[in-house]
Amino acid sequence: MTKLKDRRQISSLTVLLAVAYMVSYMTRINFGAVVAEMELSTGISRGALSMSLTGSFITYGLGQIICGIMGDKISPKRMITIGLIMTVGMNCLLPFCQNPWQMLAVWCVNGFAQAFMWPPIVRMMTTLLEPDDYKRAVAKVSWGSSIGTILIYLLSPVVITTVGWRGVFFGAAGLGVVMLFLWNWKAIDVQPSGEKKADIEGTAAEYVVFKSQSTDAVRFVNLLLSGTSSGGSVSERRRTSCTAFVSGFGGRSCSWSGGVCLCL
């Protein structure tokens, strides 16, 4: 696909992806922002409520694996649309849950939905932007997570005071609906990578795509093993190896490695 050259188009794409990432964060971390109020209002213990956070973390990691399979068959635009629809639905359902087990089920689905967000965003940037533009854009898009975190923790107390903790979930769902329409109106439809074979030779290093799952696995294991020869704690070496591994997969819509790295 032809790379974007016009600076206005590049800026518009960057802003759109940053806002999408911000909304995805606000529809994911809002549970943690209101968990204290939920404990007081519902009488459910903090430990029982925290099961939902743990469950969503696990399903988010597992979702990366499934996302890696789907990413070669479904366009990034459609994947993010699916993720937004799912997360809007789960944010609307959560306030109606009567016990921690229902909350756990709903928020696990939400964690899975969130796995459909960041990897397609990266895929769009690597497909549409030149390497230098990509480096600048990915830094700006990542600001969406910080802005989303600040907003949710600033606005949650106001919403709780005004309409209660349930309003935080309904408000996040409303943002998701707005983003859903904005996304389908403005986002460029990038074709899934499965429709054509990647020509690795001569491709920029930032965009190399490894189509073989076995190649991915060997590369990942080698990186982990190489980390054992360096100094520092085991967790530090694993994080360093995972960061190096994932950085090499910028051109892929998602990878099973995302879930593995998350668990490590």
Side-chain angles (χ1 to χ4, degrees):
M1 191 170 183
T2 305
K3 305 287 187 182
L4 297 180
K5 303 294 184 181
D6 184 76
R7 304 311 305 178
R8 183 177 299 177
Q9 288 182 319
I10 294 173
S11 297
S12 297
L13 176 66
T14 302
V15 171
L16 178 66
L17 296 180
V19 174
Y21 194 39
M22 180 193 73
V23 172
S24 76
Y25 245 73
M26 295 182 73
T27 54
R28 177 167 46 139
I29 67 171
N30 50 351
F31 193 109
V34 300
V35 68
E37 180 64 24
M38 291 172 68
E39 181 183 13
L40 292 174
S41 299
T42 64
I44 301 173
S45 69
R46 179 71 65 92
L49 291 170
S50 297
M51 289 193 306
S52 298
L53 297 174
T54 303
S56 67
F57 179 83
I58 294 172
T59 55
Y60 179 78
L62 294 175
Q64 298 289 334
I65 301 173
I66 298 174
C67 183
I69 299 172
M70 297 176 61
D72 291 335
K73 301 176 177 63
I74 304 176
S75 70
K77 181 177 181 178
R78 184 173 298 180
M79 287 190 68
I80 291 179
T81 297
I82 294 171
L84 285 171
I85 291 173
M86 291 174 64
T87 197
V88 166
M90 294 308 104
N91 272 268
C92 287
L93 281 177
L94 196 283
F96 297 103
C97 294
Q98 301 297 315
N99 58 65
W101 300 108
Q102 292 176 351
M103 293 180 181
L104 173 63
V106 168
W107 217 240
C108 280
V109 175
N110 190 61
F112 178 76
Q114 295 292 332
F116 287 69
M117 302 293 186
W118 177 250
I121 287 176
V122 174
R123 173 65 197 285
M124 290 187 72
M125 287 189 289
T126 56
T127 301
L128 297 171
L129 303 177
E130 296 288 355
D132 289 341
D133 292 328
Y134 167 79
K135 291 175 183 177
R136 288 189 290 267
V138 74
K140 294 176 181 178
V141 171
S142 66
W143 295 347
S145 62
S146 300
I147 296 173
T149 301
I150 293 171
L151 287 177
I152 202 70
Y153 279 94
L154 279 178
L155 297 177
S156 289
V158 178
V159 176
I160 290 172
T161 303
T162 306
V163 296
W165 64 267
R166 291 177 175 83
V168 175
F169 291 98
F170 289 131
L175 286 175
V177 171
V178 173
M179 189 67 236
L180 184 61
F181 283 103
L182 181 62
W183 178 257
N184 282 278
W185 177 33
K186 292 292 187 179
I188 299 173
D189 196 9
V190 176
Q191 295 303 311
S193 60
E195 295 189 358
K196 61 179 181 178
K197 295 182 179 179
D199 181 11
I200 294 177
E201 186 176 354
T203 303
E206 293 87 346
Y207 298 151
V208 171
V209 178
F210 290 86
K211 303 299 290 181
S212 169
Q213 295 286 341
S214 60
T215 303
D216 293 356
V218 170
R219 188 173 179 224
F220 180 65
V221 171
N222 285 338
L223 279 167
L224 285 181
L225 292 177
S226 66
T228 61
S229 62
S230 58
S233 66
V234 173
S235 60
E236 288 172 345
R237 293 196 298 268
R238 283 177 176 174
R239 282 196 294 270
T240 301
S241 297
C242 288
T243 301
F245 178 73
V246 174
S247 296
F249 284 81
R252 188 169 185 156
S253 55
C254 344
S255 174
W256 58 269
S257 59
V260 178
C261 292
L262 185 61
C263 294
L264 291 173

